[in-house]
């Protein structure tokens, strides 16, 4: 048997030979060059809420938007916040998409635009208020006409228009303006009609366009705050006539049930600020009739408590701006009857009466609901009262009366609460006053009275 062995080489270097089957181990392949590290994605910008408050809202229908999207329906006064947050560095723009159905007020936005900068936006303010009056109209029952005025926005002074005098029907006793300021209506007691006028946009000039029949001896009118319905108190018929209003033309059409019964000799009709209830003073019955207003048709139906007592000679009536309290002047016993209004049912609850001057004929409450004013025809004065915010009770002001001209009959207050105007039957003019914002005190304007251009002014209406 032959055994193979590795041969040993001699020599002085002591070298040895490698096995025949040896092969060199290959060098490892170089690692591929490292690719540069991809940058981490940028963190998204933080987002923040856009919020604010609403004040003075009446009724439903107000919708806000942010950046022309993200609709937000507002149901009542208070805080609001948009659902979609806005990234830091991005802009926001809060606008009114649609106004409330209550047209007597217009909602405007302040602090509504800007850029979000690492903090929530919380100071957007939406204020709903009646626009300032720009025009005034006084009816002259003795000369069957009316006189229009301009209203100075800063001073409240009344100025004559270029074509001041306009005819009415016989014995115009009342005038009202629809809440959009586009139409005016005059109740003509002498022929039992209502005259309708279009109000010139920007000019205030009246253009007659229609006449509609009422019940006998219409004494007053009311247009609901949505501008869809109108009601007339007919003293000679002891009824209320009810109409729908064409939104485009302002024309009246009798409702499906055109007439409802009221008490004896209804004198004044008024509608609450939300358009849910109507109230009628009954001069002959010494009472107030109360009705619910159907939201769709405008039809009147008696409330669960259909009448409440008033004083002797119940004539004019008004409500506070939020519809919480009602006030009726009683021209025979020289008092004001006060009532609390149930927010759900509209029912009136009588409260204590307060004294007025002699033969009170008209009453008005200012836009803030803090002050009330009663026109005293036989006393040639206006009685001024503070209104308790909680109870609605009237308290005479520190200066309880202010003088008017002769035989005042009606009063109208500027919607901003800065000015007051009183028609004077015998002196055939309008007394003009400023209203102190803190105290409510009346002070005669620099020009304390302006002529009505006719005989026997009996009513006054202001328009935006």
């Amino acid at each position: 048997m032959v055994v193979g062995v590795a041969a040993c080489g001699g020599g002085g270097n002591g070298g040895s030979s490698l096995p025949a089957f040896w092969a060199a181990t290959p060098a490892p392949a170089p690692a591929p060059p490292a690719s540069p590290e991809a940058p981490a994605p940028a963190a998204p910008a933080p987002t923040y809420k856009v919020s604010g408050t609403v004040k003075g809202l009446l009724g439903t229908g107000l919708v806000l938007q942010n950046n022309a999207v993200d609709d937000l329906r507002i149901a009542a006064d208070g805080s609001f916040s948009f659902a979609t947050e806005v990234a830091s560095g991005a802009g926001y723009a809060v606008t009114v998409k649609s106004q409330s159905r209550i047209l007597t007020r217009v909602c405007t936005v302040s602090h509504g635009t800007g850029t979000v900068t690492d903090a929530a936006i919380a100071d957007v303010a939406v204020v709903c208020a009646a626009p300032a009056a720009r025009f005034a109209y006084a009816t002259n029952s003795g000369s069957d006409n009316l006189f229009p005025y301009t209203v100075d926005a800063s001073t409240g002074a009344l100025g004559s228009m270029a074509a001041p005098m306009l005819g009415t029907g016989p014995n115009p006793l009342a005038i009202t303006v629809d809440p959009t300021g586009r139409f005016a209506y005059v109740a003509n007691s002498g022929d039992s009609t209502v005259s309708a006028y279009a109000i010139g946009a920007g000019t205030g000039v009246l253009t007659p366009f229609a006449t509609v029949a009422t019940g006998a001896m219409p004494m007053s009118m009311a247009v609901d705050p949505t501008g869809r319905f109108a009601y007339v108190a007919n003293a000679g018929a002891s009824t209320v006539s009810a109409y729908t209003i064409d939104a485009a033309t302002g024309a009246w059409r009798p409702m499906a049930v055109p007439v409802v019964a009221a008490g004896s000799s209804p004198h004044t009709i008024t509608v609450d600020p939300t358009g849910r209830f109507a109230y009628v003073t009954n001069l002959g019955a010494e009472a107030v009739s109360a009705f619910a207003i159907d939201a769709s048709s405008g039809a009147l139906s008696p409330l669960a408590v259909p009448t409440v007592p008033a004083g002797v000679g119940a004539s004019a009536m008004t409500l506070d701006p939020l519809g919480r309290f009602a006030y009726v002047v009683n021209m025979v016993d020289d008092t004001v009857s006060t009532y609390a209004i149930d927010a759900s049912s509209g029912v009136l609850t009588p409260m204590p009466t307060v004294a007025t001057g002699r033969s009170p004929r008209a009453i008005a409450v200012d836009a803030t609901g803090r002050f009330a004013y009663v026109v005293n025809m036989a006393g040639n004065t206006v009685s001024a009262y503070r209104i308790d915010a909680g109870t609605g009770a009237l308290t005479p002001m520190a200066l309880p009366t202010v003088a008017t001209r002769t035989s005042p009959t009606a009063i109208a207050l500027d919607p901003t609460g800065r000015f007051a105007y009183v028609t004077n039957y015998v002196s055939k003019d309008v007394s003009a006053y400023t209203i102190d914002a803190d105290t409510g005190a009346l002070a005669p304007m620099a020009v304390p009275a302006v002529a009505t251009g006719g005989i026997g002014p009996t009513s006054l209406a202001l328009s935006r």
Side-chain angles (χ1 to χ4, degrees):
M1 180 177 64
V2 177
V3 179
V5 296
C8 294
N13 57 6
S16 63
S17 62
L18 296 173
F21 53 81
W22 178 88
T25 303
S35 60
E37 185 175 346
T47 59
Y48 298 94
K49 288 280 189 183
V50 174
S51 306
T53 56
V54 174
K55 181 180 179 182
L57 176 63
L58 289 177
T60 61
L62 177 63
V63 179
L64 304 179
Q65 282 189 327
N66 187 26
N67 292 329
V69 293
D70 200 10
D71 288 12
L72 180 61
R73 297 186 180 277
I74 306 295
D77 280 359
S79 301
F80 67 85
S81 186
F82 287 96
T84 303
E85 296 187 350
V86 177
S88 181
Y92 64 94
V94 179
T95 56
V96 174
K97 180 181 180 181
S98 64
Q99 294 281 351
S100 166
R101 293 179 65 190
I102 304 301
L103 303 178
T104 53
R105 299 200 171 191
V106 174
C107 300
T108 56
V109 180
S110 59
H111 304 115
T113 60
T115 301
V116 175
T117 54
D118 296 327
I121 303 300
D123 64 344
V124 179
V126 179
V127 176
C128 305
R134 294 186 295 161
F135 312 108
Y137 306 96
T139 61
N140 297 302
S141 62
S143 52
D144 301 340
N145 55 22
L146 64 82
F147 200 96
Y149 306 87
T150 59
V151 179
D152 187 281
S154 59
T155 67
L158 299 181
S160 299
M161 291 187 185
M165 196 66 69
L166 195 67
T168 65
N171 197 21
L173 293 183
I175 184 169
T176 191
V177 174
D178 88 304
T180 67
R182 295 183 300 149
F183 309 109
Y185 306 98
V186 174
N188 305 299
S189 181
D191 66 357
S192 301
T193 63
V194 167
S195 302
Y197 304 83
I199 300 177
T203 68
V205 172
L206 299 183
T207 302
F209 68 86
T211 301
V212 63
T214 68
M217 290 180 62
M219 296 293 292
S220 77
M221 302 165 291
V223 175
D224 90 302
T226 69
R228 297 178 297 154
F229 313 123
Y231 307 96
V232 179
N234 306 302
S238 296
T239 61
V240 173
S241 301
Y243 307 84
T244 59
I245 302 177
D246 186 286
T249 67
W252 289 12
R253 295 184 180 88
M255 291 186 185
V257 179
V259 177
V260 296
S264 174
S265 188
H267 192 86
T268 297
I269 183 166
T270 186
V271 174
D272 89 300
T274 63
R276 297 180 299 152
F277 311 113
Y279 303 96
V280 180
T281 61
N282 301 297
L283 187 68
E286 300 171 9
V288 177
S289 300
F291 302 88
I293 299 176
D294 184 273
S296 298
S297 68
L300 301 179
S301 59
L303 296 186
V305 180
T307 61
V308 294
V312 183
S315 53
M317 182 178 188
T318 194
L319 309 183
D320 81 300
L322 296 181
R324 299 181 302 153
F325 310 112
Y327 304 93
V328 174
V329 295
N330 306 300
M331 63 183 183
V332 176
D333 62 13
D334 298 342
T335 61
V336 174
S337 298
T338 62
Y339 306 85
I341 303 176
D342 185 275
S344 299
S345 68
V347 168
L348 302 179
T349 299
M351 299 191 299
T353 61
V354 296
T356 67
R358 291 191 299 143
S359 188
R361 291 300 178 96
I363 185 169
V365 173
D366 85 307
T368 68
R370 297 181 297 150
F371 313 121
Y373 306 92
V374 174
V375 167
N376 305 302
M377 186 173 187
N380 296 331
T381 60
V382 175
S383 299
Y385 306 86
R386 297 187 68 88
I387 300 176
D388 185 279
T391 66
L394 301 182
T395 303
M397 292 185 187
L399 181 64
T401 61
V402 62
T404 66
R405 298 272 287 170
T406 310
S407 299
T409 54
I411 183 169
L413 304 184
D414 173 71
T416 66
R418 297 179 297 156
F419 313 118
Y421 307 93
V422 174
T423 57
N424 303 296
Y425 189 87
V426 172
S427 55
K428 299 179 288 189
D429 51 21
V430 177
S431 298
Y433 307 86
T434 58
I435 302 175
D436 186 280
D438 295 323
T439 68
L442 300 181
M445 291 186 186
V447 178
V450 294
T452 65
I455 301 170
T458 53
S459 65
L460 183 71
L462 302 177
S463 177
R464 61 172 91 171

